[in-house]
Amino acid sequence: MTTDTRRALVVRGGWAGHSPVETTDLFLPFLRDSGYAVEVADTLDVYTEAALLAATDLVVQCWTMGEISKEQVAGLTAAVRAGTGFAGWHGGIVDAFRGSVDYTLLTGGQFLMHPHGYSDHRITLVEDRAGHPVLAGLGDFDVHTEKYWMATDPSIDVLATVEFEAGEDRERPVTMPAVWTRTSGAGRVFVSAIGHKPDDFDVPEVRALTERGLLWASR
């Protein structure tokens, strides 16, 4: 274990179906063991606390749906642009605050739909990003969970993808970003579409890339 020298803020709430407490609890010991003093918030008002965010190296958000005020998103965006990292998974980061364009511009993507239920599908790592710190040493892997169809910003750095097969809804296969990073000013943002339910993180590759993504995004 290392000495706490950095600060992480875990912001969790919104729709209970994404288990915001249970899934973020999976990563609290990891963050502490990685040298973070961890604070947990269950209100978006924390994004208006400029001094707190300025002293925070990493914000981990798991907040599905809901609304974010102009003041809250402005505070979060300003903090990230100044160097605070921002990271999350699944609906907790990309099915949040659909009414806020500024929030979507920060994350680089927004959930639109998923096929009904869970499916077995493969997550394919982008070959020329294999050396990225989030992916290094990992290979393609299979999951049994929701498969997200999203609208994404062309400026994101896509690390892994998922395939949507041709069918009634589309005349040809579509390759969709599943894991990506981006920068905003001096800050880094990490997004993974995987993590609908706590046992998604039982897949070693899912757990590894999520943990690495949190560290990569951090100041």
Side-chain angles (χ1 to χ4, degrees):
M1 174 179 280
T2 57
T3 302
D4 288 338
T5 57
R6 293 184 288 179
R7 295 181 65 178
L9 173 64
V10 176
V11 182
R12 61 193 190 185
W15 183 58
H18 279 156
S19 307
V21 173
E22 293 86 348
T23 54
T24 53
D25 276 354
L26 294 175
F27 293 93
L28 299 185
F30 167 77
L31 289 169
R32 293 183 177 116
D33 288 348
S34 297
Y36 290 84
V38 180
E39 180 174 344
V40 177
D42 61 2
T43 172
L44 298 175
D45 286 338
V46 73
Y47 289 154
T48 66
E49 298 182 29
L52 172 63
L53 292 183
T56 296
D57 299 293
L58 173 66
V59 174
V60 180
Q61 180 185 282
C62 187
W63 195 293
T64 303
M65 295 186 272
E67 297 182 358
I68 192 168
S69 71
K70 291 182 178 179
E71 294 76 16
Q72 290 164 347
V73 75
L76 173 61
T77 300
V80 174
R81 291 193 61 81
T84 298
F86 187 56
W89 52 84
H90 200 62
I93 193 167
V94 289
D95 188 13
F97 324 130
R98 298 184 194 179
S100 174
V101 172
D102 289 338
Y103 177 78
T104 301
L105 288 172
L106 175 65
T107 61
Q110 180 60 258
F111 164 79
L112 296 180
M113 71 89 179
H114 63 77
H116 178 72
Y118 306 149
S119 66
D120 294 313
H121 53 275
R122 171 145 289 212
I123 303 298
T124 302
L125 308 191
V126 176
E127 187 174 355
D128 64 2
R129 305 303 290 137
H132 192 285
V134 172
L135 301 181
L138 300 180
D140 300 347
F141 58 93
D142 297 317
V143 294
H144 179 76
T145 190
E146 290 180 342
K147 184 162 63 168
Y148 264 16
W149 181 282
M150 289 180 289
T152 56
D153 188 321
S155 68
I156 61 176
D157 182 11
V158 180
L159 303 184
T161 63
V162 63
E163 191 86 355
F164 282 79
E165 300 80 8
E168 293 182 1
D169 295 334
R170 63 198 66 85
E171 63 183 18
R172 59 182 175 82
V174 172
T175 299
M176 182 66 60
V179 180
W180 70 80
T181 62
R182 73 170 312 156
T183 57
S184 178
R188 293 176 166 186
V189 177
F190 166 80
V191 173
S192 170
I194 312 161
H196 172 79
K197 47 193 172 57
D199 67 7
D200 287 352
F201 298 101
D202 291 344
V203 178
E205 292 90 345
V206 177
R207 184 64 181 247
L209 70 83
T210 305
E211 290 179 346
R212 293 176 184 184
L214 302 184
L215 297 183
W216 179 89
S218 180
R219 192 196 318 266

